[in-house]
Amino acid sequence: KRKEFRNPFIADEGYILLSCDYSNLEVRILAYETHDKVLQKAFEEGINIHDENTKILFGLTPLDKTWELGRRAAKIFMFGGISYGGSDKEIHMKVATEVPELNLTLKDFQNARERYIQAHPAYGLWAENIKKNTLSTRVAVIFNGRKRYLFGGERDIVKQGLNTPIQGGAGAIINQAMIRIVDYKLRSKLIMQVHDQLIMHVADGELSIIASLMKNEMERKVNYKNEEVIFPIDFEIGKSFGKLKEINYKELMK
C-alpha cells in the first residue's frame, strides 16, 4: 500500500528515476557510536543484522514457523528500542500491536532486551553513560560536534539523548552528501530525499555518470570519532517512484 502512494511520481520523458539508499545507516552509526566491535564485525562479514537480532532476541532460526514474525519484531525492537531510545513498555506495546501472533509478554520482551545487552555489552555501557550525561547536562552531541539542547521530563531527556547521536548522525551524513551532489552542474537533478534515500531525476545519457557521482559522494569516507568509515548505498531504478527495482552498481556502469 505504501508503494501505491509513490506511483504518481513519474520521471519525465527522456529521464529515469535513480534511488540511492544508505544500507542500514542508523544501525551502522550505532556500531561506531557505541564502539560495538561485535556489530562492526557483523557488517564487515556481510551478516544480515536483522536475522542475527532475531536469533539473539527470540532464539529463532529460519527453520522456525514464526521466523518472519520474529524478524518483524526484531526490527521494531532495533529501531524503536535501540536506535530511537524507546522504553520497554513503549516498544513492547508496538510489537504486541503489530506482531500479536508472537504473544510476547512484557517480561518476555524485557528478557529479550537483556539477551541483546549481553550480546552487545558495548551498547549497554554506552547507553548508561548517555543517560547519566544527558540528565546532568541536558545536552546531546552528534559525531561532528553539533549539540542539541534537551527539554522535557527525565524520560524525554533520556530518550532524546539516546536517539540524537543516531538519527542526528544519520541526518548529518546524508545532508553533507546532498550539499556536495547539488554542486554538480548536470541535466540530472536531485529531486527528493526520503529518510536515508536520495532520488535522482536522471537524463538520458547520464545514468553511468550519476551512478558514479552518487557512489563517490554518498560513500565518501566519514571521520566518525577518529575512525574512517564508509557507509554503503544500494541502488534502485525505474520510471515510477513506486515501481523501482534493485540494480547492481556494475550494471549501472555499462
Side-chain angles (χ1 to χ4, degrees), residues 5-222:
F5 288 102
R6 298 181 175 189
N7 288 339
F9 296 91
I10 301 171
D12 292 336
E13 190 69 29
Y15 285 79
I16 197 164
L17 299 181
L18 178 67
S19 163
C20 310
D21 192 0
Y22 278 109
S23 174
N24 290 307
L25 179 59
E26 291 179 2
V27 184
R28 289 178 188 272
I29 287 175
L30 180 73
Y32 291 97
E33 176 66 30
T34 62
H35 301 290
D36 187 339
K37 298 301 181 183
V38 175
L39 195 51
Q40 290 176 25
K41 185 179 179 182
F43 278 120
E44 290 166 3
E45 295 179 353
I47 295 172
N48 187 295
I49 298 302
H50 301 301
D51 286 354
E52 192 68 12
N53 286 343
T54 306
K55 297 171 186 176
I56 292 170
L57 291 168
F58 308 118
L60 298 173
T61 73
L63 298 177
D64 291 305
K65 292 182 179 180
T66 56
W67 169 256
E68 289 301 327
L69 295 172
R71 200 171 185 278
R72 282 170 54 195
K75 281 189 174 184
I76 294 170
F77 168 80
M78 189 68 200
F79 291 113
I82 300 299
S83 296
Y84 302 162
S87 69
D88 285 352
K89 286 185 179 180
E90 290 171 336
I91 307 307
H92 169 254
M93 182 61 68
K94 189 171 179 62
V95 170
T97 301
E98 296 190 20
V99 198
E101 300 89 342
L102 283 181
N103 295 314
L104 284 181
T105 66
L106 177 58
K107 184 62 177 176
D108 291 334
F109 185 84
Q110 290 170 332
N111 289 338
R113 177 186 278 274
E114 285 303 313
R115 287 192 290 273
Y116 183 88
I117 299 298
Q118 289 171 11
H120 297 276
Y123 170 79
L125 291 173
W126 174 83
E128 286 304 312
N129 287 332
I130 286 288
K131 290 174 185 178
K132 291 177 183 177
N133 291 338
T134 52
L135 286 173
S136 62
T137 65
R138 290 179 175 261
V139 174
V141 184
I142 66 173
F143 75 94
N144 64 2
R146 182 169 62 83
K147 295 180 179 180
R148 178 185 180 187
Y149 294 91
L150 310 177
F151 299 93
E154 183 174 307
R155 175 63 199 139
D156 295 324
I157 290 171
V158 168
K159 187 174 182 178
Q160 293 169 48
L162 292 169
N163 171 245
T164 298
I166 310 304
Q167 278 196 300
I173 288 166
I174 198 166
N175 287 344
Q176 289 167 6
M178 281 195 292
I179 290 169
R180 295 191 297 266
I181 289 162
V182 297
D183 280 343
Y184 287 83
K185 307 303 179 185
L186 296 163
R187 287 187 298 149
S188 304
K189 301 294 180 185
L190 172 64
I191 59 170
M192 197 185 316
Q193 176 196 357
V194 183
H195 302 298
D196 303 330
Q197 178 184 24
L198 298 182
I199 310 297
M200 298 294 293
H201 195 226
V202 181
D204 286 348
E206 291 188 352
L207 183 57
S208 62
I209 297 171
I210 295 301
S212 176
L213 162 66
M214 300 303 283
K215 188 170 182 64
N216 289 339
E217 296 299 349
M218 293 181 74
E219 293 188 352
R220 184 182 290 197
K221 286 183 179 179
V222 175

